[in-house]
Amino acid sequence: MAGVGKLIKQAQKMQTQIAQAQAALGAQKIDVSAGGGAVKLTVNGAGEFLSLSLDTEFLREDASLVAETILGAVRDGAAKAKEANEAVMRKATQGFSMPGLM
């Protein structure tokens, strides 16, 4: 049963690393722009959208163009946040293996 104790300690260490990684992701800011800077947004590494700004001149464009550009910025921000999250979590869980599960 000595292996169980080691496994529990390893799981506790990983849990601590994940909590630290989540805190770091929450503090990480990712800036995204689209439409030549007409749409700017900030998202954190946890995928939470923090801010959105739109150029007032850009808002005079066709509504479908504005919507498409905003949607593109949101998709880009979400993808970058996901990449950041996966990279940090991969690092936090690196070296953890549970016999029989992996």
Side-chain angles (χ1 to χ4, degrees):
M1 287 307 237
V4 173
K6 182 180 178 183
L7 188 61
I8 289 172
K9 283 185 181 185
Q10 192 178 16
Q12 289 171 336
K13 181 180 177 184
M14 185 178 73
Q15 185 178 17
T16 300
Q17 289 174 325
I18 289 173
Q20 292 170 343
Q22 288 172 331
L25 285 166
Q28 181 182 14
K29 291 186 179 180
I30 301 165
D31 294 315
V32 176
S33 66
V39 176
K40 296 177 184 177
L41 66 85
T42 302
V43 61
N44 68 17
E48 299 169 329
F49 289 85
L50 304 174
S51 68
L52 171 68
S53 66
L54 305 171
D55 184 294
T56 54
E57 290 295 317
F58 178 66
L59 293 176
R60 295 180 184 169
E61 296 291 333
D62 180 64
S64 63
L65 174 65
V66 172
E68 188 177 311
T69 305
I70 293 170
L71 186 57
V74 168
R75 286 181 178 148
D76 189 28
K80 287 182 178 183
K82 182 179 178 184
E83 288 172 14
N85 190 297
E86 288 174 351
V88 169
M89 287 302 166
R90 192 170 30 255
K91 185 177 178 184
T93 59
Q94 182 178 346
F96 182 77
S97 62
M98 186 170 284
L101 293 180
M102 295 184 188

